[in-house]
Amino acid sequence: MVEYRIDRRSGVATYVQIVQQTKQALRLGVLRPGDRLPTAREVVEATAINPNTVLKAYRELEREGLVEARRGLGTFVRRSLGSVPADRSGLRARLADWLDEARAEGLEREDMSALFRAALDEKYPEEQR
């Protein structure tokens, strides 16, 4: 099951963080079709956010066709995104090594993010945001 982490200093709306983290879990195979998302109550207890914020995020995911609410049962994943297995990919291990090396060279999180984004945009120019 996915565990949401809310960064109140990020400047990103809380419901957007939940949507983004859910999509990441779908891309990495952490969440699969048929899996139940945490209930709004479970998310509220873990993150101390307003239940309406959780419901707004879940409605957005439902609007995008990623999840479906089943009355009295919860919210369930309808479809997945991506194809990178979270626990079986050698890519993840190599990326972790790269992050360790970048940190050892003094790069901070935002530096690494900028460097990664620049390389990604270079390799996939047609898909830039």
Side-chain angles (χ1 to χ4, degrees):
M1 184 179 291
V2 66
E3 293 180 22
Y4 298 109
R5 293 186 201 100
I6 305 304
D7 182 354
R8 288 166 170 68
R9 296 171 288 163
S10 72
V12 176
T14 303
Y15 88 95
V16 172
Q17 291 182 51
I18 292 171
V19 170
Q20 290 172 340
Q21 289 175 38
T22 303
K23 287 180 177 180
Q24 181 176 348
L26 290 168
R27 285 198 183 286
L28 294 175
V30 173
L31 286 174
R32 299 172 190 261
D35 287 350
R36 185 180 66 81
L37 295 182
T39 65
R41 178 180 294 195
E42 290 168 339
V43 176
V44 168
E45 289 173 359
T47 61
I49 61 174
N50 187 302
N52 290 326
T53 302
V54 180
L55 296 175
K56 183 176 181 178
Y58 284 10
R59 280 192 305 271
E60 176 66 21
L61 292 163
E62 189 169 17
R63 187 187 66 72
E64 293 182 27
L66 298 173
V67 302
E68 67 180 333
R70 297 181 191 160
R71 191 177 194 101
L73 297 175
T75 302
F76 293 82
V77 174
R78 288 187 64 195
R79 66 181 179 91
S80 189
L81 295 171
S83 60
V84 179
D87 55 349
R88 298 185 322 180
S89 175
L91 291 172
R92 185 175 176 112
R94 291 193 306 272
L95 181 57
D97 290 343
W98 179 84
L99 292 169
D100 289 341
E101 184 179 339
R103 178 178 268 174
E105 290 188 23
L107 274 71
E108 295 187 11
R109 183 184 182 101
E110 292 304 316
D111 301 325
M112 289 182 235
S113 180
L115 184 59
F116 181 81
R117 175 59 61 194
L120 189 63
D121 289 347
E122 182 180 310
K123 296 295 181 183
Y124 294 90
E126 68 282 355
E127 298 177 25
Q128 289 183 16
R129 290 184 186 185

